[in-house]
Amino acid sequence: MKLLSTFVAVAIAASCAAAKEVAPLTGEAAARYRSGEVHMELMDSKIRTHNRFRAAGAYASQQYPPITRYTPCRNGKAVTGKGTANETFACSNVDLGYFLSHADLGSATGEGSSLWGWTAPNGREFGIVGQADGAAFVEVLKDGSLEYLGRLPQQSVTSIWREIRVYKHYAIIGSEALGHGVQIFDLRKLLDIKTKSRWNPKGAPKTFSTTTDLTGLFNALPVGRVHNIVVNEEVGYAVAVGAQPRNSSCAAGLIFIDLKDPSKPTTPGCASQDGYVHDAQCLIYRGPDKRYTGKDICYGYNEDTLTIYDVTNKKNTTVISRTSYEGASYTHQGWVLDKDWQEYLITDDELDEMDGAGPGKDGFPVSFIWDIKDLQNPKQTGLYKSKTKSIDHNQYVIDDWVYQSNYGAGLRILDLSSVKKDPTGKGIKEVGFFDIYPEDDAVGGVVDFVGTWASYGFFESGWILINTIERGLFSVKYNNPQKPGRGGKGKGGGGW
């Protein structure tokens, strides 16, 4: 991937030195993205890592025993089991509640990926856990313990890429597997499952049918595969993003899925103008740019740019702006800081640390801050550098805090409340972390695709779920009495 760094360096040198944002790439460098060459190199790199660790036995998740006792973070460590190196987790202000391996969650393959959650009307909290061979369902109990309820298998073949979002009480599940489509599953089915216990010896987790138990199945993808799922619950649709091939009519861009009748999902159109979209966030616009008030806006993370779309008319979408930035190697994902007043957003880049590009050249993850008060001219105003080597992956903002999944560095929680006054990022503080991958602690972290893929921190109880590639599912909780997080006094509320 070093060739990419050369292209980026040339583009940066030709741009205005005073600006962090730069014009999108052109020529041969742009063609590498458009063709999918860069994405294939990224996917191949992940597959090589998975193959290496699978061969070494790291994905035999039954080797990781359940952790069923609340373990506080003391003196920077949460010590479990016999206290060996691989049972001791570095941490700060985050306690460990519970852990179940992928094997405990019914998976034959393990290899965790995405994660999302659902809160039932009666307040019960559930996690939907992505694995190579399907999605596992757990209930998060009041004490943070995890109860495995059952699973929905893959629709076709296994894949290490499985993405999950929730629309109302439906799980929307996509995969990179050919012929998979987008599963629509009614999560209310979980409410009546009775698992085995002393009082219910005949109970058992349930394996749901991929035919009779689905509410709907969206099959209008070019070859049935999709890289990610996005939901705009306010408007009532999902988006299949990165649905290859790139030479299809929608160019692997934004494919809209109407969910007003989840049993009969249809597509009203797509946005193909900027080609492949890796991830996105779609919201009704509320913010200072009055030209777009009330419009349906999608913020696209499109490999080498932040691309902002007006998708109000699904049959006639438009691109508002395309902007790149210093060190852009693979624009991966992002989130607005306040969905009710969209002035700033935060993004990450999945290849800059590995590629040695821009601010990420030293291998420490970079969070990029964007001023989006003018949707036609976004400005990359600053950044935050993590203190532990790794690769940044997925992040979600709740009440001025961002919950980041940084592969081997685990869950990282940053306080973004300073950004509105100081968008350079200098005031951003890390307020807590839980490192779920002790294997790299002795070397200060590694730049590799290991550890956590995703976390979910939207539960009102304050319990945070972390899905890991190798081990399984952790529940953790922020615990600083001087500055309580969700589930404590002083924050709470919110959601996405």
Side-chain angles (χ1 to χ4, degrees):
M1 302 292 289
K2 290 297 181 184
L3 181 61
L4 176 60
S5 296
T6 302
F7 286 131
V8 172
V10 171
I12 293 170
S15 68
C16 178
K20 298 289 183 66
E21 69 281 350
V22 299
L25 296 172
T26 59
E28 186 179 352
R32 279 172 39 80
Y33 287 98
R34 289 287 180 186
S35 67
E37 182 181 348
V38 176
H39 188 215
M40 284 306 303
E41 289 175 353
L42 171 58
M43 294 181 78
D44 287 346
S45 182
K46 287 188 179 183
I47 290 170
R48 287 194 299 272
T49 294
H50 274 252
N51 289 343
R52 185 173 77 250
F53 279 83
R54 191 182 301 116
Y59 296 156
S61 65
Q62 61 270 20
Q63 69 186 289
Y64 307 110
I67 300 172
T68 60
R69 187 169 62 181
Y70 187 93
T71 307
C73 178
R74 291 176 176 163
N75 300 317
K77 303 288 182 183
V79 182
T80 70
K82 297 180 180 179
T84 64
N86 282 347
E87 296 172 303
T88 300
F89 302 93
C91 55
S92 174
N93 293 330
V94 179
D95 295 339
L96 173 60
Y98 213 82
F99 167 79
L100 289 177
S101 72
H102 288 302
D104 294 327
L105 297 175
S107 176
T109 62
E111 302 186 43
S113 54
S114 183
L115 170 71
W116 210 253
W118 174 62
T119 301
N122 62 3
R124 292 171 67 185
E125 297 175 339
F126 300 87
I128 309 102
V129 185
Q131 299 162 326
D133 56 351
F137 303 113
V138 300
E139 181 167 5
V140 185
L141 303 180
K142 291 183 178 179
D143 63 354
S145 58
L146 304 171
E147 184 174 12
Y148 172 52
L149 300 177
R151 62 187 296 100
L152 179 67
Q154 78 275 11
Q155 200 68 27
S156 57
V157 296
T158 61
S159 170
I160 65 175
W161 287 276
R162 188 169 313 282
E163 286 295 332
I164 303 159
R165 295 296 182 270
V166 169
Y167 170 71
K168 294 185 177 179
H169 49 81
Y170 298 99
I172 316 298
I173 305 172
S175 170
E176 280 278 9
L178 290 171
H180 186 280
V182 178
Q183 299 169 312
I184 303 173
F185 177 83
D186 192 337
L187 294 165
R188 293 177 298 183
K189 291 177 180 287
L190 306 180
L191 297 175
D192 297 324
I193 292 179
K194 305 297 182 184
T195 55
K196 187 175 181 179
S197 67
R198 183 172 27 172
W199 302 276
N200 184 33
K202 295 183 178 180
K206 180 174 181 178
T207 297
F208 292 96
S209 167
T210 57
T211 54
T212 59
D213 282 315
L214 287 182
T215 297
L217 181 66
F218 181 73
N219 266 326
L221 299 174
V223 294
R225 62 183 286 198
V226 62
H227 192 80
N228 219 323
I229 297 292
V230 176
V231 165
N232 187 329
E233 188 159 359
E234 185 174 357
V235 183
Y237 68 86
V239 191
V241 304
Q244 308 250 26
R246 295 177 185 234
N247 61 1
S248 60
S249 59
C250 291
L254 304 168
I255 298 177
F256 303 104
I257 307 171
D258 190 330
L259 293 176
K260 290 183 175 62
D261 181 355
S263 68
K264 299 176 181 178
T266 59
T267 178
C270 64
S272 61
Q273 298 95 325
D274 194 33
Y276 180 91
V277 179
H278 194 79
D279 204 341
Q281 185 181 16
C282 298
L283 301 164
I284 292 299
Y285 182 73
R286 300 174 179 91
D289 195 336
K290 294 182 180 180
R291 294 168 294 185
Y292 298 98
T293 298
K295 298 288 188 179
D296 192 354
I297 300 298
C298 288
Y299 301 96
Y301 309 104
N302 291 14
E303 301 189 297
D304 61 336
T305 62
L306 166 64
T307 300
I308 303 177
Y309 301 80
D310 182 344
V311 302
T312 308
N313 183 346
K314 305 296 183 290
K315 296 182 183 298
N316 187 25
T317 62
T318 59
V319 170
I320 298 172
S321 60
R322 292 181 68 240
T323 314
S324 192
Y325 54 95
E326 178 185 347
S329 294
Y330 201 86
T331 312
H332 178 263
Q333 190 259 356
W335 211 252
V336 299
L337 270 58
D338 183 352
K339 65 184 179 65
D340 294 320
W341 195 250
Q342 296 159 40
E343 292 184 300
Y344 296 94
L345 62 75
I346 186 171
T347 64
D348 56 71
D349 189 301
E350 197 177 9
L351 270 180
D352 55 345
E353 295 87 18
M354 181 165 282
D355 225 29
K361 62 185 177 181
D362 57 2
F364 291 86
V366 181
S367 300
F368 296 92
I369 305 300
W370 291 84
D371 180 329
I372 53 170
K373 291 192 286 290
D374 180 348
L375 295 182
Q376 296 181 8
N377 294 287
K379 301 296 182 185
Q380 200 270 295
T381 60
L383 54 84
Y384 172 83
K385 293 274 293 179
S386 180
K387 305 299 188 293
T388 301
K389 277 192 174 183
S390 65
I391 299 172
D392 36 10
H393 197 227
N394 290 315
Q395 57 187 336
Y396 305 101
V397 178
I398 310 167
D399 300 336
D400 286 334
W401 287 9
V402 62
Y403 297 74
Q404 300 183 327
S405 291
N406 285 1
Y407 280 108
L411 172 73
R412 300 280 153 166
I413 307 174
L414 308 181
D415 184 342
L416 304 178
S417 60
S418 64
V419 168
K420 291 181 181 179
K421 292 183 178 180
D422 180 8
T424 66
K426 292 180 180 178
I428 295 175
K429 304 294 183 185
E430 184 177 81
V431 295
F433 72 85
F434 194 90
D435 185 340
I436 44 67
Y437 192 74
E439 288 86 347
D440 69 355
D441 287 0
V443 296
V446 294
V447 179
D448 204 352
F449 301 110
V450 297
T452 177
W453 186 291
S455 64
Y456 183 85
F458 292 96
F459 291 134
E460 289 289 344
S461 66
W463 289 108
I464 304 165
L465 299 181
I466 307 172
N467 192 15
T468 69
I469 299 169
E470 303 84 4
R471 296 185 180 226
L473 185 70
F474 292 80
S475 68
V476 301
K477 197 169 194 176
Y478 182 82
N479 185 22
N480 182 350
Q482 278 70 51
K483 190 172 184 182
R486 290 174 65 80
K489 297 178 181 179
K491 288 186 76 69
W496 83 284

